[in-house]
Structure formats: C-alpha cells, structure tokens
Amino acid sequence: MKEKIEELWREVREVSLGSNGSIERLESPPTPLQFLKNFINPNKPCIISNSINHWPALSSWTNPSYLTQTLSSSTVSLHLTPTGAADSITSLPSSSSLCFASAHVERVPFPDALRLIKSSDPSKCVAYAQQQNDCFRSEYSSLAEDCDSHIGWATEAFGSEPEAVNLWIGNRYSTTSFHKDHYENLYAVVTGEKRFLLFPPTDVHRLYIRHYPAATYKHSMETGEFDLELDKPTRYVPWCSVDPFPSPENLEDEISKFPLYFNGPPPFECTVKAGEILYLPSMWFHHVRQSGDDGELTIAVNYWYDMQFDIKYAYFNFLQSIDYRSPTSPTMPEKLCEEIDSGLDGDDDTS
C-alpha cells in the first residue's frame, strides 16, 4: 500500500501537473472553454495576468486614505491573534496539548481596523481583515465599484455566479496554515504579494490531518492581553498538522514527526503579485504568506464558486479513508478522519 500511494504522488505530478514544481502562467485570460478544459476539469492551478488591469482598485487601493474615506462609516470584522497565525494548531498555555485556535473577532470602525492592521506586531498583536462569508458584498460594499462583481470567463466556465466574494487586508505578519476548501477559488491580488505553497488532493496523507479540540483567542482591547480558551461544549476540528517553516532548532523534530511531508515531493510554490489571479482548484491544500515591509498592506479579493461534488470528490474521500500510517511517527499517531464541513476551512489564505 505504501509504495502504491507514493507512486500516486509522483504520477499526478508527472502526468497532470508537471514535475518541476511550477504553476503554469497565462499572459492573458483564457476563454471559458480553455479554462474548463485545461484547468477546471483536470483540477490544475494556474496564474492569470492581464485580467483585472481595468479595475480602479489597482490604483486607488494603494492609497490608505482612499480606503479610509470610502469606508469611513463602515464597521468591519477584524481578526486578532498574538502571532498572526489564525485558524492554526498551537499549544494551550497551561499545557503542551495542541488545539485548533481561531482568532478573536472584534467589530470595529474601518479606520480603526486599518490602523491596527498597519501597526501589527507579532510580539503584541496581529490584526487581519479576513472575515470571509461574502464579506466584500456586505461589510465592504462601498468598494464594489472598484472591482468586477465576478470574473466573467470563470463564471461562464463554472456555469454559475460566485457563491461568495471576500476581501483580505493584512500585512507580512499574517499567515494561513495548510487547509483546503470545498470551493473553486479565483484569488485576485490588488496590492502587495501573496506566497502560496500548494499540494494536490492526492497528497492528503502528507498533511497529517488530525482532530484537535477547538479553542478561541480572547483579546482585551484595554490591556492588549490574549487568553486562549477551549470552546464549550467541546468540539473537534480536523486540521493539517504540518508547519512547513519550522524554526531551525525544531527542524529535526518536525521531520521525525511528519516524514511524509518533509521527505516527499516538494510543494508547488508560487508568488501572486498585484494584478494577477491565482486559480486555486477545489480540494487543493494551501499555505499562504504575505510579503511587504512594516506597515505595508497586502490586499486581495477572492471569488468562491461552488465545486461540483462529482467523481473527483468520491476519489478524494476514498483516498482519505485509507489508513496510511507512517511507521516513523510513534509519538503522534496519524488519525485520518472524515471531513467536517464546519466553515473553518477558509484561507486561506485561502489567505
């Protein structure tokens, strides 16, 4: 079984994706038929240039004063964490036990939110506007004229309008841990850069998905202090265990815990720059970072289209159900589990 699954990882890359670890780039938008045939049906990511050059957002959103003025009367959901790692695995303060930690969400006027994002510091507090749940068409509707309401060639290829459109505003301290989404994702970067690590769905065993007890950060705006509290009643979230960027002192330990990740084929890596769109197919695992100097904003809009629950989804569920264990991980035995569609799979980033 071990040899067959590892052969699958290699064959998917060689036959469908290319073994050089690069994501195909298109210098102009595809036709709907080309997009359907070459990328949607084979579940293959790509980066598209020159598709959103007409957006006013590409110029106006580089000016924080424009955003503050346009959204001066808007209240938005701001996600706060002590380190910038929201929706990720972390240790509980009082023990070495791991949990799935969600951000503290504070409803604040947009000008205050932007100030907190720009002044984020991982030694104190990192703020990230990442509400999802169609936030662009609700909390940020004043910016609607600056972008297209959907990506035309993608909408025609998918045969439907986007299920949700989301806005993401952060800086270089915000990261999104490995996860996947049950959506077809068109991720358009407006300012700054997003850096993605990607794995196809066939690599599910390499991400060591396990059940973790859910917890939520609690933040005091007065003192600036964070607490991490387990959710009550207790619930468990299936989440990827791997940190792809461990500290040098923890690297050997991480390799011994997650050998399938660190010793297998490398992830697909790509940087999506302002004015580019990443097509991130449904069920692909992704880890997201942002680049920029202190105070510099990275802003993106993403369009979530419903995925088709077709034979691809059946294949993934079958593969995930195989209890493929790594014999070199005695301290953290793998527990493959059924996916819980709890809405916690966003980027996340989708990111």
Side-chain angles (χ1 to χ4, degrees):
M1 179 65 73
K2 178 179 184 293
E3 291 76 13
K4 293 298 182 182
I5 290 179
E6 294 185 2
E7 183 180 350
L8 176 64
W9 301 340
R10 293 190 296 270
E11 286 188 347
V12 165
R13 285 164 169 74
E14 293 172 1
V15 174
S16 300
L17 303 171
S19 57
N20 61 359
S22 63
I23 302 299
E24 184 173 348
R25 287 182 169 270
L26 308 180
E27 291 304 315
S28 59
T31 67
L33 182 59
Q34 289 171 336
F35 187 50
L36 180 65
K37 178 181 177 182
N38 297 333
F39 300 100
I40 299 175
N41 285 346
N43 198 234
K44 179 180 177 180
C46 64
I47 296 173
I48 305 102
S49 300
N50 300 308
S51 183
I52 60 172
N53 292 350
H54 58 286
W55 283 12
L58 288 179
S59 57
S60 60
W61 290 9
T62 59
N63 183 356
S65 298
Y66 170 82
L67 295 172
T68 300
Q69 181 178 356
T70 305
L71 296 165
S72 59
S73 59
S74 299
T75 300
V76 301
S77 301
L78 190 63
H79 291 233
L80 304 173
T81 62
T83 63
D87 291 350
S88 63
I89 306 306
T90 191
S91 297
L92 288 165
S94 58
S95 70
S96 60
S97 299
L98 298 176
C99 67
F100 173 82
S102 296
H104 173 87
V105 181
E106 189 83 21
R107 294 279 294 167
V108 298
F110 178 79
D112 293 341
L114 195 63
R115 175 181 55 80
L116 289 167
I117 293 169
K118 288 172 65 68
S119 63
S120 289
D121 183 339
S123 67
K124 299 176 182 177
C125 176
V126 176
Y128 191 19
Q130 57 145 20
Q131 179 62 15
Q132 303 165 59
N133 298 329
D134 206 27
C135 68
F136 185 67
R137 297 191 289 202
S138 53
E139 295 184 356
Y140 300 96
S141 59
S142 298
L143 296 173
E145 297 301 317
D146 294 340
C147 305
D148 290 337
S149 61
H150 65 107
I151 305 298
W153 44 268
T155 295
E156 186 173 343
F158 290 126
S160 64
E161 296 279 335
E163 179 71 16
V165 184
N166 305 304
L167 183 70
W168 311 75
I169 306 177
N171 67 9
R172 67 189 181 99
Y173 297 118
S174 297
T175 61
T176 304
S177 61
F178 270 121
H179 67 286
K180 62 178 174 59
D181 301 308
H182 291 89
Y183 289 102
E184 304 284 359
N185 192 350
L186 272 292
Y187 202 99
V189 176
V190 179
T191 72
E193 296 180 355
K194 294 273 189 175
R195 297 175 179 174
F196 290 80
L197 299 181
L198 306 176
F199 281 100
T202 46
D203 285 36
V204 57
H205 297 98
R206 301 181 59 204
L207 278 301
Y208 294 83
I209 299 173
R210 301 189 174 112
H211 276 124
Y212 294 94
T216 304
Y217 284 111
K218 305 296 181 184
H219 179 258
S220 169
M221 298 296 279
E222 289 74 25
T223 66
E225 297 295 322
F226 280 93
D227 289 319
L228 183 58
E229 300 177 2
L230 287 171
D231 292 0
K232 296 181 180 179
T234 302
R235 64 186 182 92
Y236 290 84
V237 176
W239 206 255
C240 302
S241 304
V242 176
D243 176 3
F245 301 106
S247 61
E249 58 268 23
N250 292 333
L251 179 58
E252 280 192 29
D253 186 47
E254 293 296 293
I255 292 175
S256 68
K257 289 177 181 176
F258 310 118
L260 299 180
Y261 176 87
F262 288 100
N263 298 328
F268 292 85
E269 298 187 51
C270 65
T271 297
V272 186
K273 299 181 179 181
E276 297 179 333
I277 295 177
L278 169 67
Y279 166 54
L280 181 59
S282 58
M283 311 294 284
W284 271 67
F285 294 94
H286 48 290
H287 180 284
V288 191
R289 295 182 296 166
Q290 305 175 98
S291 61
D293 298 326
D294 284 351
E296 185 176 331
L297 299 176
T298 297
I299 308 176
V301 178
N302 87 293
Y303 301 80
W304 272 340
Y305 292 83
D306 276 340
M307 67 171 277
Q308 295 296 315
F309 288 84
D310 51 15
I311 193 65
K312 169 185 62 182
Y313 183 69
Y315 286 153
F316 176 82
N317 280 343
F318 169 73
L319 183 62
Q320 183 174 243
S321 72
I322 298 173
D323 192 1
Y324 176 48
R325 299 172 184 270
S326 171
T328 55
S329 302
T331 59
M332 297 184 71
E334 196 169 347
K335 182 180 181 182
L336 297 175
C337 56
E338 294 183 0
E339 187 69 20
I340 297 177
D341 295 323
S342 59
L344 293 169
D345 282 64
D347 184 59
D348 9 51
D349 195 173
T350 136
S351 358

